[in-house]
Amino acid sequence: MEKEKKKIGLTTKIFISLISGALLGIVLRYLVPESAFIDKFLANGVFYVIGNGFLRLMQMLVVPLVFCSLICGSMSMGDSKTIGKVGIKTVVFYIATTAAAISVALMIASVVNPGIGLNMNEIQAVEQTVAERTSLADTLLNFIPTNPINALAQGTMLQIIVFALFIGIILAKLGESASTVANFFSQFNDIMMQMTVAVMKVAPYGVFCLIAKTFLSIGFEAFIPLLKYMFAVLIALAVQCFVVYMGMLKAFTGLSPVKFIRKFAPVMGFAFSTATSNATIPMSIDTLGKKMGVSRKISSFTVPLGATINMDGTAIMQGVAVIFAAQAFNINLTTSDLLMVIATATLASIGTAGVPGVGLITLTMVFNSVGLPIEAISLIMGVDRILDMARTTVNVTGDAVCTTIVAAQDGMVNREIFQTDIV
């Protein structure tokens, strides 16, 4: 019998592409004499076309993916019989922690300054569309689309989000009488998920070309900012997981954060290795029930909902990436810009699917909300795939903490089971 060849995972492929692209770029920059072949054919030809082609594929997915995901998510939330008191608490918790996560990320990134020392304008000429300064009143009014079709066509994401949530809630209330439309959006959402998976399969090639062009253009100057970016994201994720979540767990339930982490550690490890929130749903529900005494009546609703709308790790990445890009392109962000980032990233997390890599797609929406060039994504993309595992762990932990808090407030946590040491 022939031994079955072990398939290399997408994360590994992208990591290999990141390293090999960086090495090729450095070799071409420092060891190969300048020539028209390198400059025109490779840097501004092959690397540019393939790399930016991949970015365009990602941009292509943004509007339909977020629109359909939000409609499907709000359909499940909009049924008052299903939601009740538990649903409202859960949704409020998820939105609050996501807003906290993006705020933590912006603060830490502002201290670490990951983009300082890197001038992305040297890589390529970029048309910087800096967002127009508007008043707070107009900013709030801009959430509401005057023409939803135009908002979809122009990619005005905040308006798309509001419109999609409205449709989803109405569809849930209409129930069977609107089942044809509801089924259409559910099936179209499945199509977009498959399309996302297909696009991410070509990510290694896109990353290789983007990184090779970047290092060919600026050499080792890109390396330190990359390390600073990774450091900022990891610190923000750690603060969210071990300070924000555990602090809320202790404050709202009185339960031991140490016991919680020790019992939930296997699920965290599984989430880290798979980099997908959806894959951990069964394990999370089982662990919360058997090791922590959380009622399955609560967890079977809140955990899958969290995998759909609670993406704090993704929001953290987006917050750090915004500061990174702004500093790299020498764009000053005002307080209103940062508030817009918090609002956009919080709402965008509702439409972020629990599959690897999809956070990078919605990152383009957050960049567009404050007029940042999406070319900055080319530098962080490979590293972000590595960080994806860490932020998925935070997402899953946040779902479990929320579930435990909501269950404890309704008296649906068996504290004896929680206190018992289970191997």
Side-chain angles (χ1 to χ4, degrees):
M1 288 179 67
E2 292 184 6
K3 288 187 178 178
E4 226 179 285
K5 288 185 179 179
K6 189 176 180 182
K7 291 185 178 179
I8 301 175
L10 181 62
T11 300
T12 305
K13 287 180 181 178
I14 291 182
F15 180 72
I16 293 171
S17 297
L18 170 69
I19 299 300
S20 56
L23 289 174
L24 178 61
I26 290 168
V27 167
L28 292 175
R29 179 178 174 85
Y30 294 108
L31 302 180
V32 180
E34 290 185 22
S35 67
F37 175 80
I38 292 176
D39 183 49
K40 293 182 179 179
F41 180 76
L42 286 182
N44 296 304
V46 176
F47 294 161
Y48 177 80
V49 171
I50 296 177
N52 284 275
F54 175 63
L55 284 179
R56 282 174 176 256
L57 285 172
M58 291 175 60
Q59 288 178 289
M60 175 185 73
L61 296 173
V62 172
V63 171
L65 177 66
V66 173
F67 186 62
C68 293
S69 294
L70 277 170
I71 289 175
C72 293
S74 55
M75 271 197 293
S76 64
M77 290 189 293
D79 184 357
S80 57
K81 294 179 182 177
T82 304
I83 294 181
K85 185 171 64 173
V86 171
I88 292 171
K89 282 183 182 179
T90 304
V91 172
V92 169
F93 180 93
Y94 284 150
I95 292 175
T97 56
T98 302
I102 187 73
S103 302
V104 166
L106 290 172
M107 286 188 289
I108 291 175
S110 297
V111 173
V112 176
N113 294 321
I116 289 182
L118 173 65
N119 186 1
M120 290 288 284
N121 289 315
E122 292 177 5
I123 300 175
Q124 56 195 7
V126 177
E127 293 180 13
Q128 296 180 10
T129 54
V130 181
E132 293 180 13
R133 308 299 178 219
T134 55
S135 67
L136 179 60
D138 286 334
T139 298
L140 292 174
L141 285 174
N142 285 337
F143 277 55
I144 304 170
T146 55
N147 184 343
I149 305 303
N150 185 60
L152 288 165
Q154 296 296 323
T156 311
M157 295 310 300
L158 282 175
Q159 296 182 4
I160 291 171
I161 288 170
V162 170
F163 185 55
L165 288 172
F166 208 171
I167 290 176
I169 292 170
I170 296 298
L171 284 174
K173 288 185 176 180
L174 290 174
E176 287 298 317
S177 62
S179 59
T180 302
V181 178
N183 289 336
F184 167 79
F185 283 116
S186 295
Q187 291 167 4
F188 197 78
N189 187 53
D190 292 338
I191 292 171
M192 293 312 303
M193 291 299 102
Q194 289 300 312
M195 195 176 290
T196 300
V197 171
V199 169
M200 290 310 296
K201 283 182 180 178
V202 302
Y205 307 103
V207 168
F208 176 83
C209 292
L210 289 166
I211 294 297
K213 186 178 188 305
T214 298
F215 277 84
L216 172 58
S217 301
I218 59 176
F220 287 112
E221 294 172 20
F223 193 64
I224 298 301
L226 265 179
L227 289 179
K228 289 165 68 179
Y229 168 78
M230 292 179 68
F231 176 75
V233 173
L234 290 173
I235 290 296
L237 289 172
V239 169
Q240 182 72 9
C241 188
F242 300 111
V243 178
V244 176
Y245 288 157
M246 296 306 117
M248 294 180 78
L249 180 71
K250 185 67 177 177
F252 288 110
T253 69
L255 297 171
S256 168
V258 176
K259 278 187 179 291
F260 180 91
I261 292 174
R262 191 165 69 240
K263 291 187 175 188
F264 200 67
V267 183
M268 295 169 74
F270 182 76
F272 185 84
S273 62
T274 60
T276 165
S277 302
N278 291 339
T280 63
I281 290 174
M283 191 176 180
S284 292
I285 293 173
D286 189 61
T287 301
L288 286 168
K290 290 181 178 178
K291 294 186 177 182
M292 303 188 197
V294 177
S295 170
R296 286 178 182 267
K297 289 181 181 179
I298 300 292
S299 61
S300 62
F301 170 72
T302 57
V303 172
L305 181 62
T308 304
I309 70 169
N310 186 42
M311 295 290 166
D312 294 352
T314 301
I316 284 171
M317 174 274 290
Q318 292 170 343
V320 176
V322 162
I323 300 297
F324 174 84
Q327 293 174 345
F329 281 101
N330 295 314
I331 296 174
N332 292 320
L333 297 177
T334 64
T335 302
S336 62
D337 288 332
L338 296 179
L339 290 174
M340 178 63 76
V341 169
I342 293 173
T344 308
T346 299
L347 292 172
S349 70
I350 299 172
T352 303
V355 296
V358 77
L360 278 173
I361 296 171
T362 55
L363 178 59
T364 61
M365 169 177 60
V366 178
F367 274 27
N368 288 336
S369 72
V370 287
L372 291 174
I374 66 164
E375 283 78 4
I377 298 175
S378 66
L379 189 60
I380 66 175
M381 188 174 295
V383 176
D384 182 76
R385 284 294 297 162
I386 301 167
L387 295 174
D388 196 9
M389 296 184 291
R391 68 173 185 256
T392 300
T393 306
V394 171
N395 291 340
V396 170
T397 304
D399 298 343
V401 170
C402 170
T403 299
T404 306
I405 290 174
V406 171
Q409 290 183 339
D410 284 6
M412 301 184 79
V413 172
N414 188 324
R415 291 176 179 264
E416 289 183 11
I417 294 177
F418 187 95
Q419 297 299 337
T420 303
D421 289 325
I422 300 176
V423 180

